[in-house]
Amino acid sequence: MNSIIEISKKGFFSFKFKTRQTCHITEEDELKEELLKTKRQIDLVFNAFENTTEKDLIDSCIYEMKALQTRYKYYLNKMKEKENVAVKS
C-alpha cells in the first residue's frame, strides 16, 4: 500500500518527460554535425570495403565511398564559405 502512495506522489510514470527546449541550432552547428555524420559513414564504408571479397560488393563500396566523399567536400566548402563571410563581417 505504501508503494501505491509513493507512485501516486510521483505521478503515473516514475520518470519525467523531457520538455522540448527552445535551443537555437545554428547553421554552423548543423554543418559540423553533417560533417561528423558523413565522416562516420565514410569510415563504415571503408571498413566494409576492407572486409569484403565479393566483386559486386567491392564496386558498391567504391561508388558509395565516392558519393560520401563528394557529400563531405560539399559540407566542407559550405563551412569554409561560412567562415569567410564571418571573417569579412
Side-chain angles (χ1 to χ4, degrees), residues 1-86:
M1 186 144 156
N2 287 342
S3 61
I4 295 173
I5 293 170
E6 289 175 18
I7 291 173
S8 66
K9 286 181 183 176
K10 292 181 184 177
F12 185 73
F13 298 105
S14 60
F15 54 88
K16 287 186 174 182
F17 287 104
K18 291 184 178 179
T19 57
R20 176 174 253 168
Q21 296 178 354
T22 56
C23 62
H24 299 284
I25 299 173
T26 63
E27 186 178 352
E28 185 176 313
D29 290 338
E30 282 185 40
L31 289 172
K32 285 179 185 178
E33 184 61 35
E34 287 297 324
L35 276 170
L36 291 173
K37 188 170 86 172
T38 305
K39 176 66 171 111
R40 285 190 297 263
Q41 290 174 333
I42 289 171
D43 292 341
L44 288 172
V45 172
F46 185 76
N47 189 29
F49 173 79
E50 290 287 315
N51 293 313
T52 191
T53 57
E54 295 292 323
K55 184 181 182 299
D56 289 338
L57 292 177
I58 290 171
D59 288 344
S60 172
C61 287
I62 291 169
Y63 289 123
E64 192 172 354
M65 181 82 71
K66 182 64 178 167
L68 287 168
Q69 287 173 339
T70 304
R71 180 185 300 164
Y72 188 85
K73 184 178 174 183
Y74 169 79
Y75 287 125
L76 195 61
N77 287 337
K78 292 292 273 183
M79 187 74 120
K80 287 179 182 178
E81 287 174 11
K82 196 87 166 137
E83 288 177 0
N84 287 338
V85 169

